Amino acid sequence: MPIGLIALALGGFGIGLTEFVIMGLLPEVAADFQVSEATAGWLISGYALAVVVGALLLTAAVTRFERKPVLALLMVLFIVGNLVSAIAPDYGLMMLGRIIAALAHGAFFGIGAVVAASMVAPTKKAGAIAIMFTGLTAANVLGVPFGTMLGQAAGWRSTFWAITGIGVLALVGILAMVPKTGSADAAGSAAGSASGLRGELRAFRSGQVWFSILVTILGYGGMFGAFTYIAFTLTEVTGFAASTVPWLLILFGVGLFIGNTVGGKAADKNVDRTLLVALAALVAVLVVFALTSSNQPMTIASMVLLGGFGFATVPGLQMRVMKYANSAPTLASGANIGAFNVGNALGAWLGGVTITAGLGYTSPIWAGAGITLLGIGVMAFAAAHAKRNDAGRTEGPRPTDAATADSQQDSTELQPA
């Protein structure tokens, strides 16, 4: 395993901790700034929206620069954001710190996925991406519970000081261990395509890139729709004590870790098949979870499987977008990171709608199953198109049409306006 992947995973750990640990510290933050918990909740929503903006605009702005120093600068931005959060004297500056850190989030994972894939052989690219995302899963398994306990014991600011320290370690690791990989421009020029932002934007002419992004939104949105309100399900439906919820969430994190690892290895063998199987299994788990949520042993098993199959899709989804973006994967990779957060927002919103409608605390799970089912439909359609196109390429063009065929675009690509 290339040692540079460890540095990328450490950066992913810090970013994942920043995103999720605030959920367990909202009461303390709200009390300190004397705002309502609903207002404090915007520290989560604002972060998610800023991730989408950073994944698109910030990634687009740095495509012409060499990727290693860009990753280092993004980690500096992450450090600054968490430092501002740690010392913020009021709610407004706390929100500013969250937004600064979030801007680094999407671009770091988008560019980092491209760098991780470049470190290994073509047959191991999804596995390399999975290793980078291991940091994110580890943040859920270990970072969030212990970060919450640290914040509750020593004040919520101590958690953000700790995250700032993790960011410094990740920065040193990136500078010392990540190899130079060139810029998006250089990759585009080597492939004979247009360089710069225009070259990156050309990737979005591919219908398969858009199919992959839509599957990301629907598949991840289905899992997150169920997960957002999981504390209510565990306490109000299953009957667990509120004090046990953090430890039950560790089981979910264990599932994330296993699913990420297994999903990455499987995607290296066959991306589309892995995604179809994982999404179908996720729907099955959500349905079983909704039907058996009053049974504690079944709920525990569902928690592990929900995390496992939900995150088994992540390396494959990221790999698929990069594959069909071809020689200009950086901006498409960043856009897909943004799509994960759009999925988060979609799932959380739809789950909230079902609860508000009086359908109960299992309704977000059913809503998640429905969203994921739509994702399977899109994935099946995209896979069928890709298979037909691959078959056409295998047959090859007629001799008289060879020159024309070489200049034609993939049949799955969208025609420019």
Side-chain angles (χ1 to χ4, degrees):
M1 178 181 69
I3 193 170
L5 293 177
I6 297 175
L8 294 177
L10 182 59
F13 177 82
I15 290 173
L17 190 54
T18 298
E19 181 176 19
F20 294 113
V21 77
I22 188 69
M23 297 177 184
L25 297 175
L26 275 186
E28 289 78 10
V29 173
D32 193 9
F33 291 138
Q34 297 182 342
V35 298
S36 67
E37 290 201 8
T39 301
W42 277 101
L43 295 171
I44 299 173
S45 303
Y47 184 97
L49 293 174
V51 169
V52 179
V53 173
L56 294 172
L57 300 185
L58 195 55
T59 303
V62 299
T63 54
R64 66 182 182 276
F65 300 111
E66 204 275 316
R67 292 184 182 116
K68 178 177 177 176
V70 167
L71 286 174
L73 287 174
L74 289 171
M75 192 50 56
V76 170
L77 191 65
F78 169 80
I79 293 168
V80 170
N82 281 285
L83 182 60
V84 170
S85 294
I87 64 176
D90 54 45
Y91 176 83
L93 278 178
M94 177 67 176
M95 177 63 81
L96 177 63
R98 294 285 291 167
I99 290 173
I100 292 172
L103 290 173
H105 179 135
F108 181 87
F109 276 115
I111 297 171
V114 177
V115 173
S118 72
M119 293 185 196
V120 298
T123 57
K124 297 182 179 180
K125 289 183 181 294
I129 294 171
I131 291 173
M132 185 188 72
F133 277 97
T134 296
L136 185 61
T137 60
N140 281 276
V141 177
L142 300 173
V144 172
F146 287 104
T148 301
M149 286 189 284
L150 173 64
Q152 291 173 343
W156 64 267
R157 295 178 188 274
S158 64
T159 300
F160 285 92
W161 279 111
I163 296 172
T164 301
I166 293 170
V168 172
L169 291 176
L171 174 61
V172 172
I174 289 169
L175 292 174
M177 296 185 289
V178 173
K180 292 183 178 180
T181 59
S183 66
D185 284 14
S189 296
S193 63
S195 61
L197 181 57
R198 186 179 63 167
E200 290 288 328
L201 290 172
R202 285 185 62 187
F204 293 96
R205 294 169 62 184
S206 168
Q208 289 292 344
V209 167
W210 287 106
F211 288 146
S212 300
I213 289 174
L214 184 55
V215 174
T216 295
I217 293 172
L218 296 173
Y220 204 70
M223 182 193 76
F224 207 82
F227 179 69
T228 300
Y229 302 95
I230 196 69
F232 296 101
T233 305
L234 294 174
T235 55
E236 302 299 324
V237 180
T238 315
F240 284 111
S243 59
T244 66
V245 171
W247 303 105
L248 290 169
L249 294 181
I250 292 179
L251 296 176
F252 176 79
V254 169
L256 293 181
F257 183 86
I258 295 172
N260 178 64
T261 302
V262 175
K265 292 180 178 179
D268 273 327
K269 298 178 180 178
N270 189 309
V271 173
D272 287 359
R273 182 173 61 196
T274 297
L275 291 174
L276 285 169
V277 170
L279 289 170
L282 179 58
V283 171
V285 169
L286 288 167
V287 170
V288 171
F289 188 12
L291 293 174
T292 63
S293 56
S294 60
N295 182 289
Q296 291 189 352
M298 287 296 295
T299 294
I300 290 173
S302 295
M303 288 281 288
V304 177
L305 294 174
L306 176 63
F309 288 113
F311 224 79
T313 64
V314 172
L317 287 168
Q318 199 67 16
M319 179 66 187
R320 195 175 198 278
V321 166
M322 290 164 56
K323 171 185 175 182
Y324 287 103
N326 199 8
S327 61
T330 307
L331 186 56
S333 178
N336 201 53
I337 296 298
F340 282 113
N341 284 270
V342 173
N344 290 354
L346 172 65
W349 171 77
L350 189 56
V353 168
T354 62
I355 291 175
T356 302
L359 300 178
Y361 290 119
T362 60
S363 59
I365 305 175
W366 286 111
I371 296 173
T372 307
L373 193 61
L374 290 176
I376 294 175
V378 175
M379 185 63 237
F381 182 80
H385 267 258
K387 188 174 181 179
R388 284 198 299 270
N389 184 65
D390 289 343
R393 283 177 176 162
T394 301
E395 294 174 4
R398 292 176 298 174
T400 56
D401 294 337
T404 303
D406 285 342
S407 65
Q408 286 181 336
Q409 294 195 4
D410 185 297
S411 62
T412 62
E413 292 184 342
L414 303 178
Q415 296 298 320

